[in-house]
């Protein structure tokens, strides 16, 4: 008897299509658009001065998030980089550094801190928010692999070569429920044309304080894409304790989509 091949599972974890990976050079166009529209972007909703911590993606440093942080500062926010060099390793020391940084910014400002994390930085943002939800106003992740299955990203092999299959926090029982959002308002901004992290790996489960915003962007351009900047400014401008899902009525519905976990 010939065994029947199992049916393909359309939602099984797999990395982005090679086409999107090879076209990540689009990020240069997005960077150009950011600076070309820098004037109009300065007219986005202004903030109330609260602190915003911005965490870089895998292998990146604060240099990658500087354009975003400069924009946030111009909109009235107290924007901070993480000042820890390149985001390469996940170990207990790095986790402790991030927790201490959040504590320090919170103590200095006396107010809850919003955290934005790009790619792996978004994983960190969600996890440190779980450790201290009383100090976090909201979390925004950009193309972050928040599924428990690393099969959604084509950076898996490099990540595991540098960190091992089970980094120290996992060995201690932490970072094991990445798909569970922290108990604070949490927005995942994702793109179906992401060439590094498949969009399904960035979708949050439905919840009273979770939202998924779909944009047209490359992975490497998420931190400068003007559409993403609009969404971030909209999220940050909400009054504390008055968070609502992103408004997709009118023209916004043409540019910003919504997705749900499959």
């Amino acid at each position: 008897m010939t065994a029947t091949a199992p049916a393909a599972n359309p939602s099984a974890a797999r990395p982005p299509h090679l086409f999107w990976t090879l076209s990540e050079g689009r990020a240069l166009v997005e960077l150009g658009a950011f600076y070309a529209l820098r004037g109009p972007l300065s007219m986005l909703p202004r903030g109330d001065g609260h602190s915003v911590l911005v965490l870089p993606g895998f292998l990146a440093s604060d240099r990658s998030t500087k354009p975003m942080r400069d924009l946030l500062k111009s909109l009235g926010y107290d924007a901070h980089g993480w000042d820890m060099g390149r985001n390469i390793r996940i170990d207990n020391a790095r986790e402790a550094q991030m927790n201490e940084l959040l504590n320090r910014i919170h103590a200095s400002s006396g107010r809850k801190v919003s955290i934005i994390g790009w790619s792996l930085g978004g994983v960190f943002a969600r996890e440190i928010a779980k450790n201290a939800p009383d100090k976090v106003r909201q979390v925004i992740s950009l193309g972050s692999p928040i599924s428990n299955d690393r099969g959604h990203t084509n950076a898996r092999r490099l990540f595991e070569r540098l960190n091992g299959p089970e980094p120290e926090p996992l060995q201690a029982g932490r970072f094991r429920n990445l798909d569970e959002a922290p108990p604070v308002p949490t927005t995942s901004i994702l793109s179906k044309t992401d060439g590094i992290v498949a969009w399904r790996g960035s979708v949050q489960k439905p919840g009273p304080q979770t939202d998924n915003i779909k944009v047209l962007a490359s992975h490497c351009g998420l931190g400068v894409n003007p559409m993403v900047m609009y969404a971030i400014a909209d999220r940050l401008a909400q009054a504390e304790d008055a968070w609502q899902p992103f408004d997709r009525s009118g023209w916004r519905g043409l540019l910003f989509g919504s997705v749900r976990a499959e």
Side-chain angles (χ1 to χ4, degrees), residues 213-236:
I213 302 177
K214 183 182 68 174
V215 298
L216 181 62
S218 67
H219 184 83
C220 296
L222 280 165
V224 292
N225 185 291
M227 290 174 59
V228 177
M229 297 305 103
Y230 180 94
I232 289 174
D234 176 89
R235 302 290 78 205
L236 293 178

Side-chain angles (χ1 to χ4, degrees), residues 95-176:
E95 182 186 11
Q97 283 180 297
M98 289 188 291
N99 289 331
E100 176 55 31
L101 177 58
L102 173 60
N103 292 338
R104 188 164 63 249
I105 295 174
H106 177 266
S108 176
S109 67
R111 303 174 66 182
K112 291 184 178 180
V113 180
S114 290
I115 311 177
I116 301 173
W118 189 351
S119 193
L120 181 59
V123 175
F124 288 162
R126 290 163 62 95
E127 295 307 302
I128 63 175
K130 293 176 185 178
N131 292 337
D134 57 315
K135 299 174 182 176
V136 177
R137 180 162 170 162
Q138 66 174 299
V139 170
I140 303 172
S141 60
L142 312 179
S144 297
I146 56 176
S147 162
N148 286 321
D149 193 332
R150 293 184 199 140
H152 285 293
T153 173
N154 56 25
R156 175 178 184 168
R157 289 185 180 178
L158 179 58
F159 175 85
E160 292 184 349
R161 180 172 296 179
L162 295 172
N163 290 278
E166 283 221 341
E168 289 181 354
L170 272 77
Q171 295 175 28
R174 303 185 301 279
F175 282 59
R176 288 196 172 276

Side-chain angles (χ1 to χ4, degrees), residues 49-64:
H50 78 271
S51 297
V52 181
L53 172 60
V54 186
L55 306 179
F58 182 47
L59 302 180
S61 67
D62 282 334
R63 183 176 180 180
S64 67

Side-chain angles (χ1 to χ4, degrees), residues 17-37:
H17 192 283
L18 181 61
F19 174 82
W20 296 122
T21 302
L22 294 176
S23 62
E24 275 293 313
R26 294 168 288 151
L28 293 176
V29 177
E30 292 166 282
L31 179 61
F34 175 89
Y35 284 112
L37 297 173

Side-chain angles (χ1 to χ4, degrees), residues 32-44:
F34 175 89
Y35 284 112
L37 297 173
R38 187 62 177 80
L41 288 174
S42 66
M43 294 185 286
L44 289 172

Side-chain angles (χ1 to χ4, degrees), residues 33 39 59 66 84 92-94 97 129 152 162 177 205 215 240 244 249 262:
L59 302 180
K66 188 177 187 304
M84 299 181 199
N92 292 337
R94 177 52 54 89
Q97 283 180 297
H152 285 293
L162 295 172
N177 297 304
K205 299 176 183 177
V215 298
E240 187 171 347
Q244 293 293 326
S249 63
E262 298 182 348

